[in-house]
Amino acid sequence: MLQSLLLAALVLPATALAQAQNSPIGRWKTIDDATGKPKSLVEIYQANDGTLAGRVVEILDLKNGPNPLCTECDGPNQDKPIRGMVILWGLQPDGQLRWARGRVLDPENGKDYKAKLELQGGGQRLAMSGCIYFLCRQQIWIRE
């Protein structure tokens, strides 16, 4: 009995780690594609409808202060703090280690784009793409 408990204690954390590496759920450091510097921390989570969503949990690039507002956003996000804002939503599985059919908001210009995610590097990197028609811009995010 003790051997079974010890084995379970060793196997369960390894299983949880393997599942985490196959899912984008967690905290990601976003990297500015122009400067290469860390910009923010985004937490990706499973929304109530089963899709994936992501919110900004910390601002790392303080050029606009510690809690900048989304001055370029329209609608309910207009002039709201970027920290806490949902910037990814509606992502659904699209093959192994890929999610698509969602949207991503760029708080710098207030526009939202078609979004897709792909886990890379054993689950430690996330390729996040925002697309208009067939033109896409990709950022690589790093797992925290």
Side-chain angles (χ1 to χ4, degrees), residues 116 129-138:
K116 55 185 178 178
S129 298
C131 305
I132 299 176
Y133 300 107
F134 59 89
L135 298 174
C136 296
R137 189 178 94 199
Q138 183 182 83

Side-chain angles (χ1 to χ4, degrees), residues 34 53 62 65 73 121 125:
L62 300 177
C73 290
R125 296 171 12 127

Side-chain angles (χ1 to χ4, degrees), residues 4 13 18 33-34 43 50 73 81 85 94 99 103 113-114 130-131 142:
S4 296
D33 47 350
E43 179 182 32
C73 290
M85 187 175 287
D94 188 37
W99 292 261
R103 303 293 292 178
Y113 305 93
K114 291 180 183 178
C131 305
I142 309 299

Side-chain angles (χ1 to χ4, degrees), residues 87 89 102-106 109-115 130-132:
I87 63 163
W89 63 92
R103 303 293 292 178
V104 60
L105 170 69
D106 182 348
N109 65 21
K111 296 180 180 173
D112 68 278
Y113 305 93
K114 291 180 183 178
C131 305
I132 299 176

Side-chain angles (χ1 to χ4, degrees), residues 47-105:
N48 291 337
D49 64 2
T51 64
L52 295 183
R55 74 172 61 88
V56 177
V57 293
E58 190 174 338
I59 305 294
L60 301 174
D61 179 355
L62 300 177
K63 72 179 180 225
N64 295 323
N67 200 19
L69 303 179
C70 193
T71 57
E72 299 299 318
C73 290
D74 292 326
N77 286 330
Q78 187 173 26
D79 295 324
K80 299 289 188 216
I82 295 171
R83 183 185 299 136
M85 187 175 287
V86 174
I87 63 163
L88 279 171
W89 63 92
L91 289 149
Q92 303 169 32
D94 188 37
Q96 189 173 3
L97 306 179
R98 293 180 185 185
W99 292 261
R101 296 180 297 283
R103 303 293 292 178
V104 60
L105 170 69

